[in-house]
């Protein structure tokens, strides 16, 4: 299974569309979608600071969300 | 039941890349006098109205969904290629914050669609008169939209939709007359 954090799709582009097209659209598929019931004794961040700043104890659940800025590459 | 034809009732062309226009067009999508309210109102009222006008409500209610689809096409074409930054520039940041670039049933001011926009009184005269008023209000809304849109191709579609409101109003007025005239009664002379 493809476990990357982002999925892409390519909507229909009409030759009559008024605006320059966004060829590729994306949506999030964060890690918890693939984990099922969380397994015991998952590896934790090595420092409390890292865990605090990440918002989770476990790197396996961490999803760095890259904000969409402009038109994504096709 | 319905059969679906995968085409619009009347073509929708959009000439200018002007996402701001979508902010206004959404009034006819999820507004009080919009196409969704119209379709739901007529298709619901048709159950409890004299047989003579059931077909009219059925046909017009169905056509309203075809109009809804045209409005949706305009809004989608105007916003589907807008980046978050472009949505912000078009005054659509509040919409983006809730819906991304998705369409939603709310009016131009962002108030979500509610069933309180429509009524089924059960009284045939009251219901048909509400329908006439709804058509006139939708006609007026199309006028105001045409007045603030400077896209000639969108305006062409909006003028078609406005004209349909005129025709629907006329048919509802005839329906009211049928209900008033008591045409079902046998005449003895």
């Amino acid at each position: 299974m493809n476990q990357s954090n982002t999925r892409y799709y390519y909507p229909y582009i009409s030759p009559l569309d008024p605006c320059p097209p966004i060829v590729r659209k994306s949506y999030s598929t964060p890690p918890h979608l693939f984990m099922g019931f969380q397994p015991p004794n998952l590896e934790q961040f090595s420092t409390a600071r890292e865990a605090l700043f990440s918002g989770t104890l476990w790197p396996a659940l961490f999803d760095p969300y890259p904000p969409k800025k402009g038109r994504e590459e096709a | 039941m319905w059969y679906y034809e995968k085409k619009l009732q009347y073509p929708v062309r959009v000439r200018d890349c002007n996402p701001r226009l979508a902010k206004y067009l959404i009034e006819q999508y999820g507004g009080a006098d919009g196409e969704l309210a119209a379709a739901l109102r007529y298709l619901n009222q048709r159950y409890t109205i004299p047989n003579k006008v059931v077909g009219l409500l059925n046909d017009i209610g169905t056509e309203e969904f075809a109009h809804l689809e045209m409005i949706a096409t305009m809004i989608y074409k105007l916003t589907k290629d807008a980046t978050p930054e472009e949505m912000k520039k078009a005054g659509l940041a509040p919409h983006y914050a809730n819906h991304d670039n998705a369409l939603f049933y709310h009016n131009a001011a962002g108030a979500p669609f509610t069933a309180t926009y429509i009524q089924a009184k059960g009284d045939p005269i009251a219901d048909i008169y509400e329908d006439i008023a709804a058509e006139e209000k939708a006609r007026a809304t199309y006028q105001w939209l045409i007045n603030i849109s400077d896209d000639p191709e969108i305006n062409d579609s909006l003028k078609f939709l406005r004209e349909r409101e005129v025709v629907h109003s006329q048919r509802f007025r005839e329906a009211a007359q049928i209900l008033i005239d008591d045409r079902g009664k046998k005449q003895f002379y």
Side-chain angles (χ1 to χ4, degrees), chain A residues 4-70:
Chain A
S4 78
N5 294 334
T6 310
R7 295 278 184 276
Y8 299 99
Y9 65 106
Y10 300 84
Y12 172 70
I13 310 271
S14 164
L16 300 172
D17 281 345
C19 306
I22 297 177
V23 174
R24 188 178 77 164
K25 303 255 184 174
S26 67
Y27 58 99
S28 269
T29 49
H32 61 286
L33 297 178
F34 307 99
M35 188 173 280
F37 203 100
Q38 183 171 338
N41 308 316
L42 268 188
E43 188 199 337
Q44 300 191 359
F45 282 110
S46 44
T47 64
R49 184 185 167 80
E50 248 182 307
L52 267 172
F53 279 52
S54 303
T56 174
L57 281 177
W58 305 278
L61 271 179
F62 179 66
D63 179 31
Y65 176 72
K68 288 185 232 174
K69 282 291 184 195

Side-chain angles (χ1 to χ4, degrees), chain B:
Chain B
M1 70 170 288
W2 278 266
Y3 287 99
Y4 185 72
E5 275 194 63
K6 197 174 163 54
K7 56 184 173 188
L8 295 174
Q9 188 192 6
Y10 183 91
V12 167
R13 295 266 186 118
V14 183
R15 181 173 294 179
D16 306 320
C17 182
N18 178 17
R20 185 176 295 273
L21 195 49
K23 187 177 164 60
Y24 312 134
L25 290 172
I26 203 107
E27 182 67 31
Q28 282 291 19
Y29 194 62
D33 307 314
E35 303 291 354
L36 178 68
L40 297 180
R41 180 189 295 112
Y42 305 151
L43 293 178
N44 180 254
Q45 287 178 353
R46 71 190 157 146
Y47 292 98
T48 49
I49 202 130
N51 296 341
K52 283 192 162 66
V53 298
V54 169
L56 180 71
L57 284 173
N58 187 77
D59 291 354
I60 295 183
T62 300
E63 185 177 344
E64 302 296 357
F65 275 127
H67 296 172
L68 187 71
E69 206 175 32
M70 287 176 60
I71 296 290
T73 303
M74 293 178 201
I75 296 168
Y76 175 66
K77 275 176 168 281
L78 285 167
T79 55
K80 78 187 186 74
D81 295 314
T83 63
E85 201 51 45
E86 288 161 350
M87 291 287 276
K88 214 195 284 182
K89 273 193 214 122
L92 286 165
H95 180 94
Y96 184 85
N98 194 356
H99 305 290
D100 187 34
N101 289 38
L103 282 74
F104 191 67
Y105 295 113
H106 58 60
N107 68 12
F113 183 82
T114 156
T116 55
Y117 288 160
I118 64 175
Q119 178 59 287
K121 207 71 223 178
D123 180 290
I125 301 294
D127 281 351
I128 285 289
Y129 275 33
E130 175 186 341
D131 301 344
I132 295 168
E135 294 294 337
E136 301 300 351
K137 288 189 281 181
R139 172 182 59 78
T141 307
Y142 277 120
Q143 290 165 189
W144 315 153
L145 286 173
I146 290 164
N147 292 353
I148 53 173
S149 155
D150 53 5
D151 186 318
E153 311 231 42
I154 288 235
N155 284 355
D156 180 61
S157 302
L158 292 178
K159 281 173 196 168
F160 170 86
L161 290 168
R162 178 185 173 277
E163 183 58 39
R164 296 308 299 161
E165 309 295 344
V166 170
V167 174
H168 290 173
S169 177
Q170 176 59 24
R171 296 288 97 86
F172 280 135
R173 285 159 197 266
E174 290 161 2
Q177 206 52 53
I178 288 170
L179 296 178
I180 293 164
D181 285 348
D182 196 12
R183 292 189 185 180
K185 206 171 164 192
K186 282 194 176 141
Q187 302 290 323
F188 297 100
Y189 297 101

